[in-house]
């Protein structure tokens, strides 16, 4: 297992994000069209890819948030055949480390009600539920969370 820090232009990251989008369209077909713009990942995001051998199997990224003290965790994904093995924890840990190195105080995220495994993961990693923010306000399928980074 190897973790690579990169950016949103990385081809392996972009391919994993395509698989994530396919998965989200299956889970939330009625609402995905509404969030297409919010799911676009610029090339300058801080992306992490987990490799198993030479195969990219998981990813996540950080992008600027509403204030300079916060960052948003986005585009978390693990290929189906590799789920349940702890790889998502490795991605979140690396993104939290990177957030701390960049002196952010808070990491925010949004996930969905049809993703209980993701909610459970984030809660185990120290995220707490918070009020919906931005485009997620009023969406009954959204669960917003935050993690305060300890100094």
């Amino acid at each position: 297992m190897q973790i690579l820090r990169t950016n949103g232009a990385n081809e392996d990251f972009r391919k994993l994000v395509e698989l994530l989008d396919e998965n989200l369209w299956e889970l939330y077909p009625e609402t995905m069209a509404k969030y297409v713009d919010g799911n676009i990942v610029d090339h300058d995001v801080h992306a992490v890819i987990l490799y198993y051998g030479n195969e990219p199997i998981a990813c996540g990224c950080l992008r600027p948030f509403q204030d300079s003290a916060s960052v948003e965790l986005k585009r978390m994904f693990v290929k189906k055949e590799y789920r349940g093995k702890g790889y998502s924890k490795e991605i979140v840990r690396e993104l939290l480390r990177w957030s701390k190195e960049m002196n952010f105080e808070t990491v925010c995220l949004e996930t969905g009600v049809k993703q209980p495994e993701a909610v459970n993961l984030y809660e185990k990693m120290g995220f707490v539920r918070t009020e919906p923010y931005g485009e997620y306000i009023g969406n009954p399928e959204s669960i917003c969370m935050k993690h305060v980074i300890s100094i």
Side-chain angles (χ1 to χ4, degrees), residues 19-29 32 39 75 115:
L19 294 174
L20 167 63
D21 286 338
E22 289 173 15
N23 182 252
L24 291 174
W25 276 100
E26 290 173 16
L27 291 172
Y28 305 101
M32 272 301 289
N39 287 332
R75 314 315 287 164
Q115 296 163 275

Side-chain angles (χ1 to χ4, degrees), residues 38-106:
N39 287 332
I40 293 173
V41 178
D42 292 330
H43 287 191
D44 64 347
V45 299
H46 296 84
V48 171
I49 304 168
L50 189 144
Y51 289 86
Y52 188 82
N54 291 326
E55 181 183 3
I57 64 164
C59 69
C61 73
L62 300 168
R63 73 174 183 186
F65 193 56
Q66 298 169 342
D67 61 70
S68 61
S70 301
V71 67
E72 186 178 25
L73 188 154
K74 296 287 290 180
R75 314 315 287 164
M76 276 290 301
F77 179 73
V78 177
K79 286 183 176 179
K80 287 182 183 181
E81 60 269 29
Y82 292 96
R83 292 180 187 167
K85 296 176 175 29
Y87 298 128
S88 57
K89 287 180 189 171
E90 294 300 322
I91 293 289
V92 173
R93 279 190 196 112
E94 187 65 19
L95 290 170
L96 290 175
R97 274 192 291 272
W98 206 357
S99 299
K100 186 174 183 174
E101 290 170 18
M102 293 185 291
N103 297 314
F104 288 105
E105 297 171 10
T106 306

